[in-house]
Amino acid sequence: MAANPIVMNGWYIGAWSDEVSRTLMQRWIANRPVCFYRLSDGSVNAIEDRCPHRRYPLSLGRLEDDVITCNYHGYQIDGSGTCVGVAEQPDVPKASVHRFPVVERYGIVWIWPGDPEQANPDDIPDVSWLTDENWTHVHGVVPLKARQVLLVENLLDLTHETFLHPSSIGNAAVASTPIDVTSEGNKVSFIRHMIGIEAPPFYRSSMGVTTDIDRWQDGDFYAPGIFILNIRIAPTGTEEPEGFHMKVIYGMTPATDTETHDFFALGRDYKIDDAELSAFQLKQQLAVMKEDVDALEIQEVMVATDPGMLESSIRSDVAGIRGRRLLERMAKAEAAAAAPARPRAAVAGA
């Protein structure tokens, strides 16, 4: 694996809504420092976190009304990113910082780090279950010191559950059951339906099932950074829509070339008022993610120190490889569009 693509033109999770307040917050997104905060009308704002004067982080400044005063030399930056004054100086420099397109929807602050002209809110994936009164969920964010594409491949090949998570969500049935993979546009999907299998420990504890189960894993990767997994657990032979349903969203947001924000939300449509179950599921989710983080951070070291290795692949890698190649194509297309046009060579005798 030599490529390490970061796609700029796409919606990423920048923050959970409950993370953003009138307190200035820095978060790196796709190699760019972003200052998140709420304007006085309650809306979320996101601007480049570098003062146009000497690049000091604006997130270390003071927010009064809707103007940030830089704590280094007093530049004053309004919500549009424009300098509107300098403390103790009458004239106003012509200076500004980039303002990122943001959309607050489903309890998520979505951010577009690329060309603002291409940002279409209609392209944000539907995760309305996060605000559906018939569902409940737990959510958070986990730092990952590894490149984003490794997490993409991890989630698109859940075969690893058998080996990495045997005490929680994995067992032999995951690796032994093949997946069906489809691709369309900037989306890669897979289906794995395990029929008549033993329930893994997490589902026995979470749902109280004691018999063999049918377990469905239907996953969708919306490039460049959103993965949604639809899960169904039911006693074997139980017809849909009966059974227990869970949904998981992962926001795989690149921070830098080798660091990723691993946003997550785990939802369910059963026992939605059970606070004890929610606490248990959050603890289990974080434990599973810790196992993934440990593995991916080790993998990052191995990849970084031997980027040209020719990897071996098997059938279960199909979705992951398609996800990786999709990111590579998107990043290459962006680079080609941004490259200056080469002058045409003169034709002899013209």
Side-chain angles (χ1 to χ4, degrees):
M1 176 189 294
N4 185 22
I6 291 184
V7 176
M8 303 299 290
N9 290 324
W11 290 106
Y12 290 102
I13 296 180
W16 293 107
S17 289
D18 57 16
E19 290 185 282
V20 184
S21 67
R22 292 283 288 172
T23 299
L24 304 175
M25 178 182 76
Q26 183 192 78
R27 179 162 282 159
W28 283 77
I29 306 289
N31 284 318
R32 301 182 72 176
V34 181
C35 177
F36 288 97
Y37 59 103
R38 290 191 184 274
L39 298 172
S40 55
D41 65 1
S43 62
V44 174
N45 204 39
I47 60 175
E48 188 93 18
D49 196 19
R50 289 187 177 102
C51 180
H53 177 232
R54 291 296 183 267
R55 289 175 282 192
Y56 193 76
L58 292 168
S59 58
L60 297 180
R62 304 184 304 277
L63 178 63
E64 296 179 8
D65 296 325
D66 287 335
V67 175
I68 298 174
T69 299
C70 179
N71 258 3
Y72 195 19
H73 293 97
Y75 267 56
Q76 296 170 339
I77 308 298
D78 70 6
S80 71
T82 302
C83 179
V84 293
V86 178
E88 309 303 327
Q89 180 175 313
D91 54 312
V92 179
K94 291 183 178 180
S96 64
V97 297
H98 180 74
R99 185 187 193 187
F100 296 89
V102 291
V103 173
E104 188 169 15
R105 185 180 297 174
Y106 313 127
I108 294 171
V109 176
W110 304 86
I111 186 169
W112 183 280
D115 180 4
E117 296 297 322
Q118 298 187 43
N120 182 357
D122 291 342
D123 294 334
I124 293 174
D126 181 4
V127 286
S128 53
W129 50 273
L130 287 171
T131 52
D132 187 332
E133 63 181 11
N134 296 311
W135 286 73
T136 191
H137 74 275
V138 295
H139 66 265
V141 58
V142 172
L144 172 64
K145 293 181 179 179
R147 64 194 67 188
Q148 182 220 19
V149 69
L150 295 182
L151 181 56
V152 170
E153 290 187 319
N154 170 275
L155 293 170
L156 283 174
D157 181 11
L158 296 181
T159 301
H160 77 271
E161 291 181 352
T162 296
F163 310 99
L164 204 58
H165 312 300
S167 64
S168 54
I169 59 174
N171 60 15
V174 183
S176 64
T177 305
I179 61 174
D180 295 321
V181 182
T182 59
S183 303
E184 181 180 0
N186 291 343
K187 178 182 175 183
V188 177
S189 302
F190 68 81
I191 294 175
R192 175 185 271 122
H193 288 183
M194 296 159 275
I195 307 300
I197 69 167
E198 180 182 1
F202 171 78
Y203 297 111
R204 290 200 303 269
S205 300
S206 179
M207 300 163 184
V209 291
T210 57
T211 62
D212 284 352
I213 62 168
D214 296 341
R215 179 186 181 187
W216 296 2
Q217 291 177 329
D218 299 340
D220 297 303
F221 170 51
Y222 297 87
I226 304 299
F227 177 74
I228 299 171
L229 182 64
N230 297 287
I231 302 167
R232 176 179 179 262
I233 303 292
T236 296
T238 303
E239 297 294 329
E240 179 71 355
E242 295 298 318
F244 304 94
H245 299 88
M246 301 177 68
K247 294 179 183 287
V248 188
I249 177 175
Y250 286 97
M252 302 168 286
T253 304
T256 65
D257 287 335
T258 56
E259 295 185 29
T260 306
H261 305 295
D262 192 357
F263 293 92
F264 72 91
L266 172 66
R268 67 177 188 273
D269 69 349
Y270 60 95
K271 297 183 178 179
I272 62 175
D273 296 321
D274 191 332
E276 185 175 344
L277 178 57
S278 293
F280 168 77
Q281 290 191 332
L282 178 59
K283 181 179 179 180
Q284 288 294 302
Q285 176 71 14
L286 290 171
V288 168
M289 292 179 70
K290 175 66 165 56
E291 292 171 338
D292 282 322
V293 166
D294 288 347
L296 292 173
E297 291 185 349
I298 292 172
Q299 187 184 7
E300 172 62 36
V301 174
M302 297 296 115
V303 170
T305 52
D306 189 11
M309 175 184 171
L310 182 62
E311 296 176 330
S312 172
S313 297
I314 54 179
R315 286 189 296 272
S316 62
D317 292 311
V318 171
I321 290 174
R322 289 192 188 182
R324 178 204 300 182
R325 290 176 177 170
L326 175 56
L327 290 177
E328 291 172 355
R329 289 196 302 271
M330 293 173 70
K332 286 179 180 178
E334 288 182 4
R342 294 183 179 178
R344 297 178 63 183
V347 179

